[in-house]
């Protein structure tokens, strides 16, 4: 029997000596949010039977959609703790200020409260993604500039995967660690310490129905991946369930590449830079992989808008660098 380590214990054991505890406590807050959201998500299928989240409750009040519910849980757990100076959420066009009655802290939280929530109705895994920055100016905290930081400034990032079990996977810059929720005791227990993306890879994840909309370089990369070029690698299996966190998690665990390329009608792709691509890129780098927009590291992109999108390739370094190689050698498509 391996020793039982709760996420709280692991966070405490790994916080630096000089830590004052705010960053550690913020990670606890997110672990608590994960438990609260998991409880509701895991009952989503009972909406019409028990009238819970997403349906109409016994008082006839409209229940919140689960992504709105998840957003509300994270905000209300974090807005008063004095640890944050500002938040940015996929669910809100505007930045989320800390109410004036509460102290502003030194950290910034960016998050997608429930990515892929449309998959709930078909019982496919979904996820929460988060990133943590330090505010830039301690004397002027909670500005747009604090949110528009490149991923290389992240001091922590992670995701919560609501799947066959609920997992919280995070990094604070000292490796990637995974915790599985034991619903019986309501604790996240260490299940994957120091996760590294395996090599050789096993999978690739992409929505091939968009093939005709991709650039020549991306098309060439997919043909290479599928064994149609002289120097193609050993064949990988295609796995894509249209839920970013689930597809990303599989490639992190088994080795591979997740691709959401730019398309003719979507030049910046679909994945959000600030609260999806950058946090996942931080994790993938910590796990020995790499994430790119096809031309540069995701972590080097300087955001100009909290909701901007980016083409996204994440996984084994060798595979993502191959995308960059094919895009760099791209011949313009014949008219
Ligand atoms: P498509 C879900 O809507 C999402 O944002 C990600 O979770 C997922 O990877 C992607 O979109 C799927 O997009 O265009 O393949 O349906």
């Amino acid at each position: 029997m391996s020793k039982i380590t709760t996420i709280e214990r692991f966070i405490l054991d790994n916080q630096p000596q000089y830590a004052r505890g705010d960053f550690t406590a913020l990670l606890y807050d997110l672990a608590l949010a994960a438990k609260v959201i998991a409880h509701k998500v895991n009952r989503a299928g009972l909406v019409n039977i028990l009238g819970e989240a997403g349906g109409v409750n016994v008082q006839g009040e409209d229940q919140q959609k689960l992504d709105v519910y998840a957003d509300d849980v994270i905000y209300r757990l974090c807005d008063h703790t004095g640890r944050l100076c500002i938040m940015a959420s996929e669910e809100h066009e505007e930045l989320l200020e800390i109410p004036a009655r509460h102290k502003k802290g030194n950290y910034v939280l960016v998050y997608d409260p429930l990515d892929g929530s449309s998959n709930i109705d078909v019982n496919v895994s979904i996820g929460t993604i988060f990133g943590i920055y330090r505010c830039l100016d301690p004397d002027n905290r909670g500005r747009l500039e604090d949110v528009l930081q490149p991923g290389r400034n992240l001091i922590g990032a992670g995701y919560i995967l609501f799947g066959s079990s609920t997992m919280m996977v995070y990094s604070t810059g000292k490796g990637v660690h995974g915790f599985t929720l034991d619903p019986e005791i309501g604790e996240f227990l260490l299940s994957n310490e120091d996760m590294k993306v395996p090599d050789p890879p096993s999978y690739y994840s992409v929505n091939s129905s968009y093939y005709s909309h991709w650039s020549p370089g991306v098309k060439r990369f997919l043909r290479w991946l599928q064994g149609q070029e002289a120097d193609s690698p050993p064949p990988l299996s295609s796995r894509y369930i249209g839920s970013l966190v689930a597809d990303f998690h599989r490639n992190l665990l088994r080795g591979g590449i997740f691709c959401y390329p730019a398309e003719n009608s979507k030049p910046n792709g679909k994945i959000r830079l600030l609260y999806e691509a950058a946090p996942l890129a931080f994790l993938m780098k910590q796990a020995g992989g790499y994430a790119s927009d096809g031309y540069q590291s995701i972590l080097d992109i300087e955001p100009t808008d909290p909701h901007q999108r980016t083409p996204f390739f994440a996984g084994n370094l060798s595979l993502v660098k191959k995308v960059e190689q094919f895009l760099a050698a791209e011949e313009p498509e014949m008219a």
Side-chain angles (χ1 to χ4, degrees), residues 145-167:
E145 293 82 345
D146 288 319
V147 168
L148 295 182
Q149 297 189 54
R152 66 174 174 272
N153 289 7
L154 282 163
I155 58 169
Y159 57 81
I160 302 146
L161 178 58
F162 304 99
S164 47
S165 62
T166 298
M167 282 195 73

Side-chain angles (χ1 to χ4, degrees), residues 115-116 118 207 210 240 242-244 258 260 266 270-271 276:
D115 174 74
S118 57
N207 187 337
Y210 301 140
Y240 187 82
S243 186
L244 173 58
F258 174 89
Y260 205 107
K266 292 191 256 183
K270 178 180 185 182
I271 305 302
E276 292 174 338

Side-chain angles (χ1 to χ4, degrees), residues 16 18-20 23 26 83-86 105-109 131-138 140-143 145-150 152-156 172:
Y18 56 82
R20 291 180 310 117
F23 183 47
L26 173 55
R83 304 193 242 279
L84 299 175
C85 64
I86 198 161
N106 294 315
Y107 298 106
V108 179
L109 178 67
I132 304 168
Y133 294 94
R134 277 196 189 79
C135 78
L136 294 171
D137 177 359
N140 187 2
R141 288 177 282 183
R143 301 174 300 156
E145 293 82 345
D146 288 319
V147 168
L148 295 182
Q149 297 189 54
R152 66 174 174 272
N153 289 7
L154 282 163
I155 58 169
T172 58

Side-chain angles (χ1 to χ4, degrees), residues 7-78:
I7 191 169
E8 284 79 4
R9 178 74 216 208
F10 188 86
I11 294 170
L12 210 53
D13 288 351
N14 288 277
Q15 76 171 1
Q17 290 305 321
Y18 56 82
R20 291 180 310 117
D22 272 358
F23 183 47
T24 293
L26 173 55
L27 290 170
Y28 290 167
D29 295 339
L30 294 167
L32 176 58
K35 296 176 195 176
V36 174
I37 297 165
H39 174 74
K40 269 291 191 269
V41 165
N42 292 339
R43 301 174 64 80
L46 299 167
V47 158
N48 298 325
I49 301 165
L50 302 178
E52 300 194 357
V56 176
N57 65 16
V58 289
Q59 288 82 21
E61 295 149 0
D62 280 343
Q63 289 291 291
Q64 294 169 325
K65 283 179 57 195
L66 281 172
D67 45 7
V68 173
Y69 174 80
D71 176 70
D72 193 41
V73 165
I74 295 169
Y75 179 75
R76 288 193 294 123
L77 275 175
C78 295

Side-chain angles (χ1 to χ4, degrees), residues 194-213:
D194 197 19
M195 299 166 78
K196 295 296 181 194
V197 60
D199 198 38
S202 300
Y203 297 112
Y204 72 95
S205 302
V206 69
N207 187 337
S208 304
S209 69
Y210 301 140
Y211 181 88
S212 61
H213 303 291

